[in-house]
């Protein structure tokens, strides 16, 4: 018997714990971890660097479909390491703007589907379970209260670059604006897929969330056992 490599989709707003959980699960299973938010961020970064108007959907989409991405370890776009450069308040905003354009999403979604088509992937984002892989083996939606998400983001050094340490209020406001934009956009808004497992991580230690997710993944692995040729012919 062989076990098929799964597709694990993790969606939710920023600060809900997607990154931590996705990384842990990918390491455990030796799967690839794809942070699709980093792709929207890298495209926004490059569009700004090239002086493009972020409202110009066609120009940004052209950039997105021509770009090459590196997403394992360092984040690169067209060979340039942008790991730190994409974690600024300016790129938080710019990424949410480019993510509203349907042609930009089409270019990146096609890429994401190629990355995951063989399975063996933990993919995190906003539309993975709804649009990119609607038939993913495991579909999770991680959430947390706005206060807790803002607190996590304020204390998250990966997101602190380019931001003066300030009251959590400012982080909370920026986060709310971005969530609002992600939830209300016309194309692929952030929403809970009807068949996703909804996990509220407010006040829950990360180790507990990880255990809960591991249990769901184990169930999916048990379902993914395929009889091999020899077993089938027996
Ligand atoms: O996850 P992260 O905060 O890095 O994502 C940055 C932005 O990229 C989000 O605010 C959202 O607008 C966009 N995004 C998206 N779809 C995804 C991942 C990210 O629209 N699958």
């Amino acid at each position: 018997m062989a076990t098929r490599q799964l597709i694990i989709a993790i969606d939710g707003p920023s600060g809900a714990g997607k990154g931590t959980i996705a990384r842990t699960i990918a390491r455990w299973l030796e799967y690839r971890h794809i942070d699709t938010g980093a792709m929207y961020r890298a495209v926004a970064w490059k569009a700004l660097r090239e002086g493009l108007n972020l409202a110009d959907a066609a120009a940004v989409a052209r950039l997105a479909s021509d770009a090459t991405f590196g997403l394992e370890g360092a984040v690169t776009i067209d060979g340039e390491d942008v790991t730190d450069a994409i974690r600024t308040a300016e790129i938080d905003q710019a990424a949410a703007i480019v993510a509203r354009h349907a042609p930009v999403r089409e270019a990146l979604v096609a890429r994401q589907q190629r990355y995951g088509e063989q399975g063996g992937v933990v993919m995190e984002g906003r539309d993975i379970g709804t649009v990119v892989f609607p038939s993913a083996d495991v579909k999770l939606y991680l959430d947390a209260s706005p206060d807790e998400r803002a607190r996590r983001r304020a204390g998250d050094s990966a997101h602190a670059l380019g931001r003066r340490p300030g009251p959590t209020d400012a982080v909370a406001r920026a986060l709310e604006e971005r969530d609002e934009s992600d939830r209300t956009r016309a194309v692929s808004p952030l929403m809970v897929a009807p068949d996703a497992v909804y996990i509220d991580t407010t006040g829950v230690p990360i180790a507990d969330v990880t255990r809960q997710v591991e249990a769901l993944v184990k169930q999916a692995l048990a379902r993914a056992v395929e009889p091999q040729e020899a077993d089938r012919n027996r």
Side-chain angles (χ1 to χ4, degrees):
M1 303 283 253
T3 303
R4 186 169 50 79
Q5 298 244 300
L6 306 181
I7 297 176
I8 301 175
I10 307 184
D11 291 305
S14 37
K18 299 189 301 288
T20 309
I21 296 294
R23 258 189 307 278
T24 308
I25 298 298
R27 211 174 299 134
W28 166 49
L29 294 172
E30 296 181 14
Y31 281 8
R32 272 170 314 143
H33 165 218
I34 307 281
D35 172 9
T36 61
M39 298 172 76
Y40 289 93
R41 286 173 180 275
V43 166
W45 177 87
K46 182 136 190 176
L48 286 174
R49 227 261 315 256
E50 306 225 315
L52 298 185
N53 176 356
L54 297 184
D56 186 343
V60 181
R62 212 159 28 245
L63 184 157
S65 62
D66 291 347
T68 57
F69 298 92
L71 297 167
E72 277 159 269
V75 178
T76 64
I77 182 163
D78 297 328
E80 260 189 277
D81 188 331
V82 294
T83 313
D84 295 332
I86 59 170
R87 305 292 167 188
T88 65
E90 185 191 16
I91 302 294
D92 283 354
Q93 270 195 335
I97 295 171
V98 303
R100 296 179 73 90
H101 300 317
V104 172
R105 302 200 69 83
E106 272 162 34
L108 295 187
V109 166
R111 206 68 76 88
Q112 292 153 11
Q113 288 171 332
R114 273 206 302 282
Y115 293 151
E117 66 193 355
Q118 307 289 337
V121 73
V122 183
M123 197 172 282
E124 56 162 304
R126 303 289 187 289
D127 60 341
I128 311 305
T130 50
V131 175
V132 182
F133 287 112
S135 50
D137 299 282
V138 179
K139 234 187 242 192
L140 306 173
Y141 187 100
L142 296 190
D143 208 351
S145 72
D147 276 1
E148 176 136 347
R149 294 190 294 107
R151 262 198 308 279
R152 288 179 190 163
R153 270 296 138 102
D156 179 350
S157 63
H159 282 79
L161 287 162
R163 234 183 229 138
R164 252 175 265 128
T168 331
D169 273 14
V171 179
R173 253 194 320 276
L175 207 72
E176 255 169 53
E177 276 169 27
R178 192 147 67 93
D179 285 351
E180 182 64 12
S181 168
D182 289 347
R183 286 201 172 97
T184 58
R185 66 182 175 220
V187 268
S188 312
L190 171 65
M191 59 183 210
V192 189
D195 54 347
V197 177
Y198 178 92
I199 302 177
D200 185 352
T201 68
T202 312
V204 184
I206 197 72
D208 292 1
V209 181
T210 306
R211 259 195 302 279
Q212 194 180 343
V213 173
E214 280 173 354
L216 292 166
V217 170
K218 280 182 188 156
Q219 289 168 11
L221 284 169
R223 285 194 301 271
V225 173
E226 295 172 325
Q228 284 181 318
E229 211 47 43
D231 299 322
R232 236 179 271 139
N233 295 338
R234 205 168 282 159

